[in-house]
């Protein structure tokens, strides 16, 4: 028997500790929560990506009366960014979420399906995508999808 240990690293910042570019991106994700269409869950998620060129693209979760037909903010945003700017790598993805009481006390972890799509975006552009997860207290900085989805399935297995 041998044991395999996979390490992940998360850095936790206060909002005030973010550099100007990250703060701008986080603000864009926070603002995008206002454009969430979430009449069923009342859980508003906003995402913002900074592309290689510096362009910021935002998106939000879009729900549907047929529940599975809706889509999370992360995938809405990445699919839009990748379809509008197919040549541009995504440098950083910022995510913010609020429920009816307001923004969350701890960072929102993206769902499994979104993590898989994030991985594909990284593989497509062959560079890690930083992820920033907002909360009222800590903001998590994750250096790439591998730290969100260790032991991931990617195209190298096909
Ligand atoms: N949601 C996201 O947009 N991102 C996540 O990472 C988790 C969940 C959305 C989906 C649905 O519209 C609502 O939040 C409740 O699950």
């Amino acid at each position: 028997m041998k044991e395999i240990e996979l390490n992940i690293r998360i850095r936790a910042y206060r909002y005030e500790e973010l550099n100007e570019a990250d703060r701008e991106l986080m603000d864009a994700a926070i603002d995008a929560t206002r454009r969430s269409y979430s009449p069923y869950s009342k859980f508003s998620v906003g995402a913002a990506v900074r592309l290689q060129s510096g362009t910021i693209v935002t998106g939000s979760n879009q729900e549907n009366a047929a529940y599975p037909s809706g889509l999370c903010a992360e995938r809405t945003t990445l699919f839009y960014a990748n379809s509008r700017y197919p040549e541009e790598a995504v440098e950083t993805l910022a995510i913010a979420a609020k429920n009816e009481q307001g923004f969350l006390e701890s960072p929102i972890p993206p769902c499994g399906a979104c993590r898989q799509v994030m991985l594909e975006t990284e593989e497509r552009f062959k560079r890690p995508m930083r992820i920033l997860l907002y909360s009222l207290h800590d903001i998590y900085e994750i250096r790439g999808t591998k730290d969100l989805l260790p032991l991931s399935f990617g195209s190298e297995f096909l």
Side-chain angles (χ1 to χ4, degrees), residues 92-148:
T92 310
L93 164 68
I95 307 161
K98 62 183 181 206
N99 58 27
E100 286 180 290
Q101 279 72 55
F103 284 96
L104 305 187
E105 302 278 337
S106 51
I108 175 192
C111 81
C114 286
R115 292 176 198 214
Q116 189 67 30
V117 169
M118 291 178 197
L119 176 70
E120 188 75 25
T121 303
E122 279 189 346
E123 290 196 344
R124 172 174 176 167
F125 296 107
K126 297 185 178 29
R127 56 193 270 188
M129 179 176 70
R130 286 168 69 234
I131 299 142
L132 298 172
L133 307 177
Y134 180 75
S135 82
L136 292 174
H137 306 297
D138 286 338
I139 293 174
Y140 286 175
E141 181 203 44
I142 296 158
R143 59 193 158 173
T145 308
K146 292 272 152 51
D147 280 355
L148 269 182

Side-chain angles (χ1 to χ4, degrees), residues 44-65:
S44 306
V45 187
V49 292
R50 183 181 295 282
L51 306 177
Q52 212 176 337
S53 61
T55 302
I56 290 178
V57 172
T58 66
S60 54
N61 56 330
Q62 301 293 314
E63 297 187 347
N64 194 285

Side-chain angles (χ1 to χ4, degrees), residues 6 13 19 22 28 34 46 54 60 71 73 76 86 91 105 107 127 141:
L6 302 172
Y13 292 87
N19 66 34
D22 283 348
R34 298 192 296 118
S60 54
L71 199 63
T76 304
E91 269 185 357
E105 302 278 337
R127 56 193 270 188
E141 181 203 44

Side-chain angles (χ1 to χ4, degrees), residues 74-75 94-95 140 151 153:
E74 295 87 330
R75 275 176 288 163
I95 307 161
Y140 286 175
L151 208 64
F153 177 80

